[in-house]
Amino acid sequence: MNIITLTIDDREVKAPVGSSVLRAAEDSGIYIPTLCYHESLEPYGGCRMCIVDIENMRGLPPACTTPAGDGMVVRTSTPQLTELRRGIMELILSEHPHSCLVCWRKERCEPFDICLRNVDVSARCVNCPKNRRCELQTVFDYLGMAGCKEISLPYKYRDLPMSLEDPFIDRDNNLCILCGRCVRVCQEVRVNGCLSFTYRGSQALVGTAFGRNYKESGSEFCGACVDICPVGAIMERRNKWAGLPERLVNTTCPYCGVGCQLLLEVKEGQVLRITPDMEGASNMGQACVKGRFGVAETINHPERLTTPLVRKNGKLEKATWDEALDLVASKLAGYQPQELAVITSAKCTNEDNYAMQKFSRAVLGTNNVDHCARLCHAPTVAGLVQSFGSGAMTNSIAEIADAECILAIGTNTTFSHPVIGIKVKQAARQGKKLIVANPREIELCRYADIWLRQFPGSDVALLMGMMRAIVDEGLEDKEFIAARCEDYDAFLESLRAYTPEFVSEKTGVSWEKIQDAARMYAQNSPATLLYAMGITQHTHGTDNVLATANLAMLTGNMGKPSTGVNPLRGHNNVQGACDMGALPNVYPGYQSVADAASKQKFENAWGREMQAKPGLTLTEMFDAVYTNEIKAIYLVGENPARSEPCLNHCSGAMERLDFLVVQDLFLTETAKLAHVVLPACSFAEED
């Protein structure tokens, strides 16, 4: 990386080439005030608060938009700069309530009847829910405007109505300073365009089309506008007035497989609110409505289970932990290993899944352990392990936006994985090619260059058709195939059956359109392929996955940045639960239970003889209940009475069980059928 050296406030500062003066100063711990700048947005110098004095440069340019140059000499706090910034602040405060900044009217600031220059900043009045978290306060303090005599322009209350109609967000335009950050994050980062500037001049406001509320304007309620607002104009309704947290806890979102990093704001043992972590590798300060607003509600929900329940006389009644655990232990000890099954969960952590599969094998003595990956991404494990040796994404989420072409098949990305959907929409906005293959008209179709609307279940024919077109036109990566691939001749032979007529008939897509998509994917490298349960939840799901892998290898889009085959998981830890061995046929690390060496390794480690025969899969477990082969199930974090393909079949099986233990946060449909229900910790309560 090329490094430049400049001088800021008589300090020698080093910065990467391409850095702005503001970024160079921030990275060196030098504060330059700003209100419109945010690291997730393209700087545009709107507020002019970050103006600096640069030697041999005309005028006072904004630091956020001025590139740092080698040998540059910068001053950030001269008397002239301070005077100009104070003038800007006065203009802002002429329309912004500022009792939280200065004691400008005693009757509004009671009981604080002295100038703030003599009291600690923590003693400020709390007329604003953003008090002590407000960036305007920070800049005001930096400028040394501590007393009411510092402000000469009169304040005029705008008397604008507050918007309180939305489920998660309150808007108060009386507090808005028109920095534009919420508008730009909605348009530039989220690529949604829900917010914009309305009216002009002194009447300018941030708002939605036709003055609608967020819901009516198409908001995703991602909370990006809340997180980026420097003042209290846009606030999360829940715990709005809770004040500052005592501590922040970094954690991973428990909803989907994106792995967004979140910050839990904790006070007195309660999660006040949750914000996305700007340093999160997969989300970079972004979240979806579930992660941003839903997680905290789940943690603190009044319907959480807090005490064990034991079925007595046909009803679940409260019991002590000793009573419940003694009953579970004595009951499970009364069955043969082959009569027991354990169902763990992709909603649980790696540690939980490891413990449960070890409990199943080393304590209960059975390989009858499985989880919901059986119903969603088992074909991913089977197909990608066979193709690449690992059943995981081949590339990182951050690389998606840099792909020249994106093929999204069987995934409604913006709905199921909104943060990844942002990357796809950003790429399309930058002119990158986007191919969407989906029987449904999803949101991504609005951004797609080509929409392949294949018949449901015809994915293999579609992908093989694309590969046939690539081979016919000589667009395959011959060098990559020769160096990295096996059985190419056999693969070419398999393509012979996929004639243009056959492919068009089976898929319902014209051959010309398939050719266009094939050319686009093959000729715009690097190309990445995204898929989800739209192609795995089929009787031929593994074949679909193998076809995606073959397409990537055929065009050389493997092993390079922004390429690869990338399954988008449903639950937050489908990958981890499989990695930890919560499967009937493998130990942790996908080591086969039927392999003598692997079996011996785990017997030595766990001090218990292991079964060499693979156990029953999730769906086979419920079938085995009807034949009286499975008599008891211990279930953690799953709700098969709601998620199994045939609900009546599943519920009927659980009603037939001699003994069912359910460990969960809530009294789910499955828990209502249990003999013992054990309260579980949420992700936020585990260490």
Side-chain angles (χ1 to χ4, degrees):
M1 179 185 296
N2 293 327
I3 300 295
I4 58 173
T5 302
L6 62 158
T7 301
I8 303 179
D9 292 342
D10 299 323
R11 282 176 51 186
E12 186 178 280
V13 169
K14 295 186 181 298
V17 172
S19 297
S20 66
V21 172
L22 179 62
R23 193 59 187 263
E26 282 186 344
D27 290 346
S28 300
I30 299 172
Y31 176 72
I32 298 177
T34 181
L35 291 170
C36 71
Y37 171 81
H38 193 272
E39 59 186 293
S40 65
L41 303 174
E42 287 293 323
Y44 83 131
C47 71
R48 316 305 288 183
M49 194 65 76
C50 70
I51 51 175
V52 290
D53 186 351
I54 300 177
E55 199 171 277
N56 299 321
M57 182 176 289
R58 185 177 179 182
L60 300 172
C64 64
T65 60
T66 303
D70 197 42
M72 184 179 279
V73 178
V74 182
R75 295 179 181 84
T76 69
S77 57
T78 65
Q80 182 187 16
L81 291 172
T82 300
E83 182 182 357
L84 289 171
R85 287 171 180 156
R86 286 185 173 189
I88 295 169
M89 178 62 74
E90 285 196 51
L91 290 171
I92 293 173
L93 296 183
S94 69
E95 290 190 338
H96 183 90
H98 47 268
S99 59
C100 57
L101 301 176
V102 295
C103 296
W104 61 284
R105 287 171 61 187
K106 281 187 180 181
E107 63 269 28
R108 291 289 298 274
C109 297
E110 293 293 340
F112 308 117
D113 58 356
I114 56 175
C115 177
L116 279 178
R117 73 169 77 245
N118 298 320
V119 298
D120 185 78
V121 70
S122 62
R124 284 177 170 156
C125 55
V126 289
N127 291 331
C128 173
K130 195 85 169 187
N131 184 45
R132 297 166 62 196
R133 293 183 292 135
C134 174
E135 293 180 39
L136 191 63
Q137 286 181 343
T138 302
V139 175
F140 188 85
D141 288 341
Y142 172 81
L143 296 177
M145 301 173 69
C148 53
K149 295 180 180 179
E150 300 284 349
I151 299 176
S152 58
L153 292 177
Y155 163 65
K156 180 181 179 182
Y157 182 58
R158 288 187 284 178
D159 199 21
L160 299 169
M162 289 183 63
S163 175
L164 306 173
E165 303 171 0
D166 296 300
F168 305 110
I169 297 172
D170 288 345
R171 285 185 292 156
D172 184 358
N173 276 327
N174 295 292
L175 300 177
C176 180
I177 61 173
L178 295 175
C179 66
R181 280 168 31 169
C182 58
V183 174
R184 289 187 292 140
V185 77
C186 192
Q187 295 180 350
E188 295 174 17
V189 179
R190 303 299 302 202
V191 198
N192 189 26
C194 166
L195 294 177
S196 184
F197 285 110
T198 61
Y199 307 107
R200 293 292 180 269
S202 62
Q203 304 300 312
L205 296 171
V206 169
T208 59
F210 306 107
R212 296 167 174 164
N213 58 35
Y214 271 35
K215 188 174 181 180
E216 292 171 341
S217 65
S219 171
E220 299 172 352
F221 291 104
C222 61
C225 55
V226 177
D227 298 328
I228 209 167
C229 180
V231 291
I234 307 178
M235 293 290 293
E236 176 181 352
R237 179 172 300 152
R238 184 182 179 278
N239 288 330
K240 180 177 178 179
W241 297 93
L244 294 174
E246 295 170 352
R247 60 193 176 101
L248 297 177
V249 179
N250 185 282
T251 188
T252 303
C253 181
Y255 274 109
C256 76
V258 176
C260 293
Q261 296 300 292
L262 304 177
L263 294 174
L264 309 185
E265 298 186 10
V266 181
K267 185 177 183 179
E268 297 178 356
Q270 294 290 315
V271 176
L272 299 182
R273 59 185 74 87
I274 293 177
T275 56
D277 185 2
M278 287 300 301
E279 303 300 322
S282 61
N283 59 314
M284 299 299 290
Q286 299 303 310
C288 71
V289 61
K290 292 179 179 180
R292 182 61 180 79
F293 299 110
V295 171
E297 291 187 6
T298 300
I299 297 168
N300 301 315
H301 202 284
E303 295 180 13
R304 282 280 302 275
L305 292 170
T306 58
T307 184
L309 304 175
V310 173
R311 189 169 296 279
K312 298 177 180 178
N313 301 319
K315 293 184 178 180
L316 288 171
E317 299 181 3
K318 291 183 178 180
T320 65
W321 275 100
D322 286 342
E323 179 185 358
L325 293 177
D326 287 346
L327 177 60
V328 172
S330 62
K331 278 286 194 178
L332 294 182
Y335 296 101
Q336 295 298 312
Q338 67 272 15
E339 296 175 329
L340 297 167
V342 172
I343 300 174
T344 182
S345 175
K347 298 295 289 181
C348 296
T349 62
N350 283 348
E351 293 81 2
D352 288 342
N353 280 287
Y354 179 87
M356 287 309 299
Q357 64 84 31
K358 183 177 179 181
F359 173 73
S360 178
R361 293 181 165 111
V363 178
L364 301 182
T366 179
N367 284 324
N368 295 334
V369 55
D370 205 359
H371 69 288
C372 69
R374 184 67 47 196
L375 304 176
C376 56
H377 273 284
T380 289
V381 175
L384 295 189
V385 167
Q386 179 180 337
S387 301
F388 305 134
S390 174
M393 292 179 72
T394 61
N395 293 71
S396 69
I397 293 170
E399 296 173 42
I400 294 172
D402 294 324
E404 291 299 321
C405 179
I406 300 171
L407 170 57
I409 181 169
T411 168
N412 188 357
T413 318
T414 56
F415 183 85
S416 300
H417 304 89
V419 173
I420 294 180
I422 294 171
K423 299 292 186 184
V424 178
K425 292 195 291 185
Q426 287 175 347
R429 187 181 184 185
Q430 294 166 9
K432 309 296 179 63
K433 303 299 182 183
L434 174 60
I435 306 166
V436 175
N438 202 305
R440 298 172 56 210
E441 186 175 2
I442 60 175
E443 183 187 0
L444 281 185
C445 293
R446 292 165 42 197
Y447 303 88
D449 295 275
I450 297 176
W451 173 26
L452 303 173
R453 193 171 193 174
Q454 76 273 28
F455 293 143
S458 65
D459 307 290
V460 169
L462 179 69
L463 293 167
M464 293 294 279
M466 287 180 65
M467 287 185 272
R468 172 70 181 261
I470 289 169
V471 171
D472 286 350
E473 298 188 21
L475 300 177
E476 71 274 22
D477 190 331
K478 297 180 178 64
E479 183 178 340
F480 181 90
I481 294 168
R484 301 289 183 180
C485 303
E486 298 174 343
D487 299 323
Y488 184 56
D489 290 337
F491 167 76
L492 290 178
E493 181 63 27
S494 70
L495 287 182
R496 293 180 60 184
Y498 291 89
T499 63
E501 296 77 18
F502 175 82
V503 171
S504 294
E505 178 186 353
K506 292 299 181 184
T507 64
V509 182
S510 69
W511 179 247
E512 291 74 19
K513 202 167 190 178
I514 292 173
Q515 284 179 308
D516 290 342
R519 294 187 193 105
M520 185 174 290
Y521 181 82
Q523 294 178 329
N524 289 276
S525 186
T528 189
L529 192 152
L530 310 177
Y531 75 83
M533 288 179 281
I535 67 168
T536 60
Q537 291 187 334
H538 289 270
T539 55
H540 52 279
T542 302
D543 293 332
N544 288 339
V545 174
L546 288 170
T548 63
N550 286 337
L551 177 60
M553 289 186 285
L554 182 67
T555 55
N557 283 301
M558 271 297 301
K560 307 168 188 174
S562 301
T563 61
V565 179
N566 299 294
L568 308 182
R569 308 299 201 180
H571 284 329
N572 57 304
N573 206 25
V574 171
Q575 186 68 52
C578 294
D579 293 346
M580 293 299 105
L583 296 168
N585 60 326
V586 292
Y587 294 117
Y590 305 101
Q591 301 172 81
S592 173
V593 300
D595 178 69
S598 296
K599 178 174 176 290
Q600 185 64 51
K601 180 197 301 183
F602 283 92
E603 286 179 342
N604 294 339
W606 293 346
R608 173 70 187 264
E609 185 178 347
M610 299 292 138
Q611 297 290 330
K613 181 182 178 182
L616 299 176
T617 65
L618 185 64
T619 50
E620 290 171 341
M621 289 176 188
F622 296 121
D623 290 337
V625 174
Y626 284 95
T627 60
N628 210 34
E629 297 173 64
I630 295 295
K631 297 181 180 179
I633 291 178
Y634 192 120
L635 184 150
V636 178
E638 287 289 334
N639 189 15
R642 186 71 180 270
S643 61
E644 275 289 301
C646 183
L647 298 183
N648 290 334
H649 177 77
C650 174
S651 298
M654 287 187 287
E655 289 171 352
R656 287 170 175 255
L657 284 167
D658 288 350
F659 192 60
L660 173 62
V661 184
V662 173
Q663 186 173 325
D664 213 319
L665 302 180
F666 297 94
L667 191 65
T668 63
E669 290 83 352
T670 303
K672 292 176 182 178
L673 302 173
H675 298 90
V676 177
V677 180
L678 302 175
C681 289
S682 75
F683 81 106
E685 295 146 354
E686 295 190 14
D687 187 8

